[in-house]
Amino acid sequence: MTAIGFLYPGHSAEDDYERIEQMLASDVRLAVVHTDIGEDAHRIDALLEMGAAERLAAGVEELRLSGAEAVVWACTSGSFVYGREGAQEQIRALARSAGLPASSTSFAFAHAVRALGASRVAVAATYPEDVAGLFADFLKAGGVEVVSSRSSGIITAAEVGTWGRDEVLELALAGDAREAEVVLLPDTALHTAAYLRELEQVLGKPVLTANQVSVWEGLRLAERRVWSKTLGRLFARPE
């Protein structure tokens, strides 16, 4: 049994992790520990507070009890908001606190893009425009070319968590660009696990979503590879 720990802010789409665990159908356990979200707002000051070291450290003891072999800060906006260097320091502090290999959803996206052999991406974000722009900046700082970035202007994770299949498909289609090799949906508050296969069929290209890449990143840190036919190209077995 391999256990991966996730620090997840508040309550929005955490049931994606249970769904993904079932879809993996393997000896992998995904342990979700909730951190204090503070003010639920996709606003830069609120996001900086959400990702503060003390908030992440508060969930570490419970995470240790889960037997996790690695930990992922499962919040994209609460990591890229610090910039690339700040986000690196955030996960270094988390690794020290937890005594485990650590990463965040923002770095998971960058690593997953490279794993797919891609370099040009389109961002389809639920966030307001300024926050979506910070995600694009984060990716560019890591050598990923962002050919387009679309924002939806949604302020709260709670609202994003109510979105279903139709809204997710509409977001991905609206955010796609012809030049993009991959489409990224960066919000861990967005339910996407159930729609990954359909998203890729409709767009005709790989789609990376926040909870999907968070799980992939945790497995990568634990040096586990698990394949799935339902979790998109990222989890596809090499031919």
Side-chain angles (χ1 to χ4, degrees), residues 141-164:
V144 177
E145 182 182 354
V146 179
V147 299
S148 69
S149 178
R150 178 182 177 85
S151 62
S152 301
I154 305 300
I155 297 297
T156 68
E159 181 177 351
V160 174
T162 67
W163 281 22

Side-chain angles (χ1 to χ4, degrees), residues 10-146:
H11 298 268
S12 296
E14 67 271 25
D15 49 329
D16 256 9
Y17 291 88
E18 181 178 356
R19 182 183 290 273
I20 291 172
E21 181 178 299
Q22 295 169 351
M23 293 166 78
L24 288 173
S26 182
D27 62 338
V28 171
R29 184 165 59 86
L30 307 180
V32 176
V33 173
H34 296 276
T35 63
D36 181 8
I37 197 171
E39 182 182 0
D40 181 9
H42 288 140
R43 201 179 64 239
I44 291 171
D45 61 331
L47 295 172
L48 288 168
E49 180 62 27
M50 187 192 306
E54 59 271 19
R55 286 183 185 256
L56 273 59
V60 163
E61 187 58 35
E62 184 179 348
L63 187 141
R64 283 201 195 98
L65 295 174
S66 75
E69 297 177 28
V71 56
V72 177
W73 166 225
C75 181
T76 327
S77 56
S79 46
F80 69 68
V81 71
Y82 287 89
R84 191 168 181 85
E85 290 185 10
Q88 286 177 328
E89 177 52 40
Q90 183 186 57
I91 61 173
R92 282 194 291 265
L94 177 58
R96 289 193 298 267
S97 176
L100 296 168
S103 189
S104 67
T105 306
S106 293
F107 283 108
F109 272 110
H111 296 157
V113 169
R114 287 200 293 271
L116 290 173
S119 60
R120 300 186 308 277
V121 307
V123 172
T126 55
Y127 313 131
E129 187 173 352
D130 60 338
V131 176
L134 291 178
F135 182 52
D137 291 344
F138 176 91
L139 294 170
K140 292 172 186 175
V144 177
E145 182 182 354
V146 179

